[in-house]
Amino acid sequence: MTLGTAAGPAASATGSTGPAGGLGGHLAAVTLPPCAARVEQAEAAVDRLRTAAVDAVAVTWVDNAGITRVKAVPLGALVHAAQWGVGAAPCFDVFLADDGITTSPSTGGPTGDLRLYPDLDRVVPLAAQPGWAWAPGDRHTQAGTPHPGCQRLFARRMEAAAAERGLTLRAGIEVEWVVALAGGPQDEPQYPTHGPAYGMHRLTDLADYLRDVLRALGEQGLTVLQIHPEYAPGQFEVSVAPEGPVGAADTSVLVRHTVRAVSARHGLRVSFAPVVEPGAVGNGGHLHLSLWRDGHNLGHGGPGPHGLTAEAEGFLAGVLGALPELLVLGCSSPAGYLRLVPSHWAGAYQCWGLENREAALRLVTGSTGERAAAANAEVKCFDASANPYLAVGAVLAAGLVGLDRHLSLPPEFTGDPAAAEPGSVPRLPTGPAEALAAFERSAVLREALGGPLYEAVLAVRRAEGEQYAVATPEQLVAATRWRY
Ligand code: GLU
Ligand code: MG
């Protein structure tokens, strides 16, 4: 099925073999470079990493339950890993957040092997884990063809689908987390600071820790825009500069594991789980995005609402309309629905609004004078239990379909939707089953993900939905608090 007709001028530049304007093919974007080129790149990386006193490289991928999994190789084995990949069982595609394993029509059981290839364009020594470097991985088959269940390759395909239309997406994922004393009881987090929300008191209590987080992120080449205490007890947030969608997803993995490593060095345990205390404000994983063509931000200078161009409006309308099914990818854990409640700034309503922190889609224009660069939209309803590659890839898919179909945004909503006439603003799904039903109806996401990945996501969500179907909020929070 082809969902659109607009083939951008960059079609040949991506070398796409997929249908112009569709979401399916883009094989060139996910094909391994020739083996000789991989070896040459790996040898150069080994030289660089040896100089940085690196002993081993952690190669990560994020599974469909949102857990970052890893295979590590000593530096001496990096060239071999770049040549032939590192072994990874296909059944990782159907792992659950609690390490249970389900099955999907194409995955399950102990047989088979995939090869995890480190992306050496992104390899970096880890500042808070001396002797270690990190690289995100892509999964291919033993025959060297792209694994259809690879989430990072999916995000790359969607990035290529945008490039085919002459578009680039710039994205950034905000990271919120809660810190607790590492030695404290698991089921009753004890916080290292009792300062107020957004309070300087909290920053003062944990000044050395927060400085070390900033230093580590900076040493790893990340540009931090802001760090601050958040609303919930022991909660903080960091945001980094936007980049391409796959890069932003990689960065969100790197940021979280850097925060975790620095926290461990300070005797702290961290949680990126959607909810750490039942009833409290949770940890979001808001996705900021802006769409660009020929160096111009399409969210600025157009005739649409607040300066949106028609293309940006179509893209955002596509995203807004698909939010119920996008939650399956952007809000992976069933615990996410405990966070996604009104009046928690989590974006529980399917509406959009300028600077509206209760709208699932918040439009940000930036200050007068910097709007051409700063205008962006924020998907607020997502949390950090999401696989970030699935989240950015799926938002791209839904947005591109909205753009191809020239969709318009519904009227803007100003104020708190919770205070509006009941039923006048649609609530997003209030539980995983409702989101899953929307996902099962979504031809767009089914086509974009491709059968094996779509089926694996479905299997994992169904299994986790059943697992916690009768859990109380307290049980669900206890089961997920330290998993993310
Ligand atoms: N912690 C809130 C959430 O669950 C978001 C707060 C904010 O707007 O930064 O998404
Ligand atoms: Mg925040």
Side-chain angles (χ1 to χ4, degrees), residues 174 176 228 230 237:
E174 289 179 9
E176 295 186 333
H228 64 268
E230 258 291 342
E237 172 179 330

Side-chain angles (χ1 to χ4, degrees), residues 174-176 198 228 230-231 235-237 282 284 286 345 378 380:
E174 289 179 9
V175 173
E176 295 186 333
Y198 306 99
H228 64 268
E230 258 291 342
Y231 190 86
Q235 194 181 35
F236 291 87
E237 172 179 330
H286 308 171
W345 287 11
E378 178 185 30
K380 281 192 74 86

Side-chain angles (χ1 to χ4, degrees), residues 239-276:
S239 49
V240 293
E243 57 195 307
V246 176
D250 288 338
T251 293
S252 91
V253 172
L254 181 59
V255 168
R256 279 179 278 150
H257 289 281
T258 303
V259 168
R260 188 180 294 285
V262 174
S263 302
R265 293 180 156 262
H266 282 263
L268 300 171
R269 174 190 291 158
V270 297
S271 173
F272 301 96
V275 177
V276 178

Side-chain angles (χ1 to χ4, degrees), residues 260-312:
R260 188 180 294 285
V262 174
S263 302
R265 293 180 156 262
H266 282 263
L268 300 171
R269 174 190 291 158
V270 297
S271 173
F272 301 96
V275 177
V276 178
E277 299 264 11
V281 164
N283 289 321
H286 308 171
L287 170 64
H288 285 263
L289 50 98
S290 55
L291 198 63
W292 297 69
R293 178 186 291 287
D294 300 329
H296 294 290
N297 184 346
L298 298 177
H300 174 77
H306 306 291
L308 293 178
T309 63
E311 284 186 308

